[in-house]
Structures are given as structure tokens and as C-alpha cells.
Amino acid sequence: IMPFFESSELSDDNMQDYIEPLKRVAKVAYSENIIVCLETILTGQELIKLLKLIDLPNVKAVYDTGNRVAFGHDLAGDIRLLGDAIAHVHIKDKNSNNENVLLGTGLVNFESVFYALNDIGYNGPYTFETTRGSDPINTAKYNMGLVNFFKSNAENV
């Protein structure tokens, strides 16, 4: 996973500067059977454009629910647009102050996210990037329960 935030933030204006360096990294990774996942705040359309410019089969996207909702993205729409370009999902929720919050208490509509992930047939890895709460074990159990609930509902439609 290669995060592109802050001083290395990718945008529609500067993505051309990243194409050749990313291709060099991706080609070496490909020879070792490694998938390169780009974590950006680009819109779904911009990310599709970037992936087409790189044009290598082992370059995919990380989809971070919290970061994307914080930037006002259409989560379900972007997931459906990106489809099999998504190779990793970060589960996170944020509030209107861009703070990480307990899953289900922020701006992310997890029901629509998991319906969209189901629609594209996503079966890759998930990583929780969540607050730990006052009791990390109970928070982890809560997070798993919430994700399993929405994932199961989406799969049984």
C-alpha cells in the first residue's frame, strides 16, 4: 500500500508527475508477484484516469471509507465505478470535523458501502482503521459485528 497524502498528495493537476515513478515501482513489484495498492483521495473518476495512465495489471486502489467520506465522495458510486480496481478496503468512519469516530457514528453509510462492495464482487482484504474506545477488545468486537451485519445483509439480498 502506497499512501499519497499531504506532501505527496496526488491530484488531477499533478498525477502526470507520478506516472513514470509508479510504473518503475510497479514493474519491479510485478516481477515479484506483488500488487501495488495506491491510497489517494482522488475521486473515482480521477483514480480510474490514473490507473489507465499507469496501465499495469498489478496497480490497484485502496478504498478508505473514512478518508473518502471526509472529502465528500460518493462512496457507493465510486466503489461501483472502480470495481475490480479495488484490491484493499480500509474500514473507517469520520465525523464532520474529519475526526475518526466509532464505526456507525460518523458520516459513512456502511449499508450502502457493503451493498456496493457486494455488487462488484469484492472479496479482498479489509483493514480496520478505527478508534479503540475505552475498551479496545469490546470495540473490536463491536466493529466486527457491525461489518459482519452489513456484509451479511448485502450478500443476502
Side-chain angles (χ1 to χ4, degrees), residues 105-156:
T105 65
L107 301 172
V108 175
N109 179 334
F110 286 102
E111 181 176 39
S112 68
V113 164
F114 281 98
Y115 275 107
L117 288 167
N118 186 65
D119 288 349
I120 66 168
Y122 181 77
N123 62 0
Y126 295 89
T127 299
F128 285 110
E129 290 191 330
T130 58
T131 61
R132 289 186 287 262
S134 59
D135 184 338
I137 299 297
N138 280 336
T139 302
K141 289 177 185 177
Y142 166 81
N143 290 343
M144 286 299 300
L146 182 132
V147 166
N148 286 335
F149 173 81
F150 287 119
K151 194 170 186 289
S152 176
N153 277 356
E155 291 168 350
N156 293 317

Side-chain angles (χ1 to χ4, degrees), residues 35-95:
I35 294 174
V36 176
C37 293
L38 307 178
E39 186 176 7
T40 75
I41 57 166
L42 295 171
T43 66
Q45 289 286 352
E46 292 166 337
L47 192 46
I48 290 288
K49 177 182 172 182
L50 175 65
L51 293 173
K52 284 182 180 177
L53 289 168
I54 295 169
D55 193 30
L56 292 168
N58 66 318
V59 179
K60 303 285 186 177
V62 172
Y63 200 85
D64 186 308
T65 59
N67 289 348
R68 292 186 169 278
V69 80
F71 285 90
H73 293 226
D74 171 11
L75 275 61
D78 277 356
I79 290 167
R80 288 183 179 99
L81 176 68
L82 291 164
D84 66 0
I86 298 172
H88 194 93
V89 174
H90 287 171
I91 301 295
K92 179 180 355 183
D93 206 352
K94 289 197 174 200
N95 64 18

